[in-house]
């Protein structure tokens, strides 16, 4: 596309051009970062993954992850991300909390960092914020669904490895939408973590 500065009263356009590039991702406009994996089991090996679907490197310092435990309506732990996330790359956070840090070698190798926000249970909500605005959630903030977690068809957020479906390319704060966007695996299916 070309955009010219024109004076339509005299039909004169300047020679100055502004180039406009419209970038499409999977046939739709590029969106924001989002949670792409959520791994919860009864042991210490817990993790979440954030994916960059855009063609641009993203400054992670603009993003915060909040953990809401046991139905809390206010964050019980907050993690400000850091570094840069390249296009089509993932950022993996593993558990270091509650005296039970992650020990599995596969998870340790996939991790970009560890933080207490990954020391969640299946009934704890996770939120991704961009510049203070909520853009993606797992679960419902302020709600405790009980030890079985949030039910999603024949699976739940408790004791499962959840991977966002490949056709998903944007975040949502509506759990009624997001709950249908996950593939479910056994909680020890570690091989998806960090995969692009």
């Amino acid at each position: 596309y070309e955009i010219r500065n024109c004076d339509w009263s005299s039909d004169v356009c300047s020679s100055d051009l502004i180039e406009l590039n419209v970038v499409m991702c999977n046939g739709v406009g590029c969106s924001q970062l989002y949670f792409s994996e959520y791994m919860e089991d009864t042991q210490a090996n817990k993790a979440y993954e954030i994916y960059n679907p855009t063609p641009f490197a993203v400054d992670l310092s603009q993003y915060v992850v909040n953990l809401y435990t046991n139905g809390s309506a206010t964050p019980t732990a907050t993690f400000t991300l850091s570094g840069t996330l390249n296009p089509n790359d993932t950022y993996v956070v593993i558990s270091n909390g509650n005296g039970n840090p992650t020990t599995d070698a596969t998870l340790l190798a996939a991790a970009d960092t560890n933080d207490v926000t990954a020391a969640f249970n299946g009934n704890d909500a996770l939120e991704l914020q961009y510049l203070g605005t909520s853009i993606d959630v797992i679960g419902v903030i302020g709600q405790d669904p009980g030890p079985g977690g949030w039910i999603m068809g024949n699976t739940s957020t408790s004791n499962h490895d959840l991977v966002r479906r490949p056709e998903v390319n944007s975040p949502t704060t509506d759990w009624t939408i997001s709950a249908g966007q996950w593939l479910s695996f056994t909680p020890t299916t570690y091989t998806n973590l960090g995969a692009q």
Side-chain angles (χ1 to χ4, degrees):
Y1 296 94
E2 290 183 357
I3 300 175
R4 293 177 181 264
N5 182 14
C6 297
D7 179 354
W8 298 111
S9 63
S10 61
D11 253 355
V12 175
C13 294
S14 75
S15 59
D16 297 331
L17 298 178
I18 299 172
E19 184 175 330
L20 175 65
N21 291 314
V22 178
V23 180
M24 303 297 283
C25 298
N26 296 327
V28 298
C30 292
S31 184
Q32 270 282 13
L33 305 187
Y34 59 86
F35 291 117
S36 50
E37 188 165 359
Y38 170 94
M39 181 178 295
E40 197 277 327
D41 67 13
T42 57
Q43 306 301 315
N45 296 319
K46 306 179 187 212
Y48 60 84
E49 175 188 271
I50 296 169
Y51 178 64
N52 177 6
T54 79
F56 310 107
V58 172
D59 178 6
L60 289 176
S61 68
Q62 300 174 328
Y63 293 84
V64 168
V65 173
N66 292 318
L67 172 65
Y68 300 81
T69 57
N70 301 322
S72 175
T74 57
T76 49
T78 296
F79 177 47
T80 301
L81 307 182
S82 63
T84 301
L85 187 58
N86 290 323
N88 304 308
D89 202 359
T90 58
Y91 187 82
V92 176
V93 181
I94 61 174
S95 172
N96 73 349
N98 300 331
N100 295 306
T102 296
T103 57
D104 183 84
T106 303
L107 295 187
L108 291 169
D112 291 290
T113 191
N114 57 54
D115 189 71
V116 70
T117 53
F120 48 75
N121 291 315
N123 65 334
D124 300 330
L126 278 179
E127 175 192 42
L128 179 62
Q129 288 188 347
Y130 171 67
L131 296 176
T133 298
S134 181
I135 59 171
D136 202 20
V137 294
I138 299 175
V140 180
I141 296 169
Q143 179 186 103
D144 185 347
W150 285 277
I151 305 301
M152 306 144 59
N154 61 357
T155 189
S156 77
T157 53
S158 181
N159 297 323
H160 289 95
D161 172 28
L162 303 176
V163 176
R164 213 81 176 251
R165 291 181 178 276
E167 64 269 22
V168 176
N169 51 32
S170 61
T172 178
T173 57
D174 186 342
W175 178 244
T176 61
I177 295 173
S178 181
Q181 295 181 339
W182 301 87
L183 300 171
S184 179
F185 301 88
T186 61
T188 55
T189 307
Y190 301 149
T191 53
N192 293 314
L193 204 63
Q196 299 179 16

